[in-house]
Amino acid sequence: MSATIRIENEIAVITMDDGKANAINPTMLASLNAALDQAEREAKAVIITGRPERFSAGFDLKLMGASTPEDVTKLVKGGGALALRLFTFPMPVIAACTGHGIAMGCFILLSCDKRYGATGPYKIGANETQIGMVLPVFALELCKARLNPLYMTESVIMGTLFSPEEAVTVGYLDKAVAPDQVMAEAMAEAERLKALPAKAVAGNKRILRQPTVDAIAPTVAM
């Protein structure tokens, strides 16, 4: 398993840790979705985090390079479906970004309701332009929904990666704190948010985000 889950005081803590860069591949997607299934049954808030210094480096490019076009499309759609699930999850979702969050890693951040990141020599952002790729629809729509409009050109067209402090201004994170405080901040926020009326949280999230959902959903359907 590339992701594990533990439940503490009705808070599901989902940790990505493949021992490397937390690349998003079919194994990681299956682990994350299984963890989210359990969270829906047993929790009132979710924290998604990574291993020290690595939140996620994005899609598994080595795997994609060795795959058929059909399998690459399936993987990208799976990542988009995961992002959409997080974006519409019927309870608060908090990211505890423990390090680098690049490409699909930053799209997971954009899918979460609140995002806390570790300060340090880490990079966050969508570097697709720099590696010769065009953003899939789900990624573009999440950028449009969550990023500061003043930084859309720099982020999407230029593919710039940002420090955690810069990522707060750009919109990938809500707050950058010392690495040993990231989980504490995320837990405190989860404790606060889990007390909100669940039906109201889910309903208002759905209403606010419906236009983005409508744009993404047809493009990630299997």
Side-chain angles (χ1 to χ4, degrees):
M1 298 292 284
S2 298
T4 57
I5 181 173
R6 71 180 192 273
I7 310 291
E8 300 181 9
N9 299 320
E10 300 179 306
I11 298 169
V13 180
I14 298 172
T15 303
M16 297 182 288
D17 189 353
D18 64 1
K20 296 176 285 186
N22 286 343
I24 303 301
N25 53 35
T27 301
M28 181 67 82
L29 289 175
S31 296
L32 288 171
N33 278 304
L36 290 171
D37 290 342
Q38 183 177 345
E40 283 202 75
R41 296 191 301 267
E42 301 177 16
K44 292 183 178 179
V46 172
I47 294 172
I48 184 166
T49 189
R51 62 194 302 270
E53 299 189 345
R54 299 288 189 275
F55 183 69
S56 174
F59 284 117
D60 189 332
L61 296 181
K62 184 176 180 180
L63 174 66
M64 293 174 78
S67 299
T68 65
E70 292 78 13
D71 285 340
V72 171
T73 297
K74 183 177 180 180
L75 177 59
V76 173
K77 283 189 173 184
L82 172 69
L84 186 61
R85 184 178 188 184
L86 291 169
F87 194 63
T88 59
F89 209 65
M91 64 185 69
V93 181
I94 300 98
C97 183
T98 47
H100 298 294
I102 298 171
M104 186 62 207
C106 83
F107 306 137
I108 291 174
L109 293 176
L110 293 177
S111 301
C112 296
D113 301 315
K114 298 297 291 287
R115 295 80 45 87
Y116 296 90
T119 55
Y122 308 124
K123 295 299 182 182
I124 295 173
N127 68 334
E128 275 74 4
T129 294
Q130 296 186 27
I131 59 174
M133 298 177 68
V134 175
L135 289 175
V137 170
F138 80 85
L140 177 61
E141 292 297 327
L142 288 171
C143 288
K144 288 161 64 176
R146 302 302 302 277
L147 293 183
N148 183 334
L150 295 175
Y151 293 90
M152 282 292 289
T153 295
E154 191 71 27
S155 301
V156 173
I157 299 177
M158 310 305 177
T160 299
L161 297 178
F162 302 94
S163 70
E165 292 86 352
E166 292 169 335
V168 174
T169 301
V170 176
Y172 288 110
L173 297 175
D174 294 297
K175 188 176 182 181
V177 300
D180 62 356
Q181 293 299 308
V182 173
M183 185 55 69
E185 291 273 358
M187 287 295 292
E189 187 70 344
E191 287 286 354
R192 181 180 77 87
L193 295 179
K194 78 176 187 180
L196 294 173
K199 288 185 178 180
V201 168
N204 286 319
K205 184 185 291 193
R206 182 175 60 251
I207 291 169
L208 175 65
R209 297 180 175 174
Q210 195 62 50
T212 303
V213 173
D214 291 342
I216 293 174
T219 71
V220 299
M222 295 294 190

